[in-house]
Amino acid sequence: MNENCNPLHAAYYADQAVQLTVEVVENVQLARDTYRVRFACPSLAASITPGQFVMLRLADMQDPLLGRPLAMYDVYCDASGAAVGIDVVYLVHGKLTSKLARCAPGQRLEVWGPLGNGFPGQQVDHLIMVAGGIGQTPFVALGKEYLGRQAYGDPPRQNVSAGKVTMCYGARSADYLAGVEDFRACGVDVKISTDDGSAGHHGLVTDLLHAALDESTSGVQIACCGPERMMESVATIAAQRNVPCWVSLETPMACGIGICFTCVAKVRQDDGSWDYKRTCVEGPIFAAEKIDWE
């Protein structure tokens, strides 16, 4: 039987994922309630691509029992340039992340991945990344890849490039902005908005998106991650401007490998109907026009 005839088939099952017990290399605070944890995992770091994620839990602890989905922020490399580990950025919100924030170098984590489909690799003139809150986490790697600063995947993805990469980054206030210098260091043009006006534009991140689109005439693509209402607004703008847009859904997950069906999202089909798709194996990246936001 052709596996594609199976209604439960998905192209990104976790067949190639690895499960590892790793040690924390570094765990540092980047912004208010926001941390970056680094752990060594050469096999996983060599294969993961921007937009994919890992499930992470604390080793030797049963509470919480389930792992949490966290997007790859970036890989880190040894002196030869080989990827030897992964950085993950997380917001402290709940039991696992509260305990994770207290982990010191040498403490152990359990991770499995890479999971999900990741952002498509394409050639564009201008990549505009739109992030709200903690939604900036997958975009350092994506920006570096499109600007030719780092290769990802095994084998490395080919023909991925952009003449310009812009990051429209919105946060509640200046103290929640995390990793801005990481983006600028790899050549990304960062535009900031805050709800309270404490940094950058006083207003919505979609205001920045309109301005960035006004500066581009063709060959534009949008990648978006953040609160659902923000992503819906970005999807609407992209449709009005006839610009391709990819969104990274942040649907709560329990297993991360397509078994439990807790992370489903309503996705439009080619015939105009909709069906539930599992964010962990059929996403988390979807074409924005396919999402039923209601």
Side-chain angles (χ1 to χ4, degrees), residues 31-213:
R32 180 175 176 179
D33 298 332
T34 309
Y35 293 76
R36 173 178 55 77
V37 63
R38 170 173 292 182
F39 47 88
C41 52
S43 59
L44 203 165
S47 59
I48 197 167
T49 59
Q52 289 189 297
F53 66 97
V54 299
M55 296 294 288
L56 182 149
R57 67 184 299 273
L58 307 177
D60 307 318
M61 292 188 185
Q62 302 305 316
D63 184 24
L65 179 63
L66 299 177
R68 299 291 187 269
L70 294 169
M72 174 191 68
Y73 184 68
D74 201 2
V75 299
Y76 72 94
C77 302
D78 63 16
S80 70
V84 294
I86 288 177
D87 289 339
V88 168
V89 170
Y90 61 96
L91 182 70
V92 175
H93 180 72
K95 185 177 292 184
L96 185 140
T97 50
S98 295
K99 291 183 176 181
L100 181 59
R102 297 193 294 269
C103 284
Q107 290 187 253
R108 302 196 306 165
L109 307 173
E110 292 180 4
V111 297
W112 53 103
L115 302 173
N117 57 352
F119 287 101
Q122 299 172 338
Q123 290 181 309
V124 298
D125 295 329
H126 188 187
L127 174 66
I128 302 176
M129 307 181 296
V130 185
I134 197 66
Q136 92 285 9
T137 53
F139 289 142
V140 164
L142 188 66
K144 288 174 69 174
E145 183 179 43
Y146 269 80
L147 290 171
R149 301 296 183 93
Q150 178 70 44
Y152 298 88
D154 184 18
R157 302 205 301 179
Q158 302 295 317
N159 300 318
V160 182
S161 66
K164 180 180 181 180
V165 177
T166 298
M167 170 73 163
C168 300
Y169 183 10
R172 282 181 279 177
S173 59
D175 54 347
Y176 280 101
L177 294 167
V180 173
E181 292 309 315
D182 293 336
F183 286 99
R184 288 175 173 155
C186 63
V188 173
D189 179 20
V190 181
K191 301 180 183 298
I192 291 170
S193 70
T194 50
D195 295 344
D196 65 358
S198 55
H201 170 69
H202 186 184
L204 301 176
V205 72
T206 47
D207 298 337
L208 302 180
L209 174 60
H210 278 296
L213 289 170

Side-chain angles (χ1 to χ4, degrees), residues 272-292:
S273 65
W274 64 267
D275 195 6
Y276 283 118
K277 299 296 183 181
R278 292 159 292 175
T279 302
C280 63
V281 293
E282 287 145 331
I285 313 302
F286 293 94
E289 71 270 16
K290 296 289 187 180
I291 301 298
D292 188 334

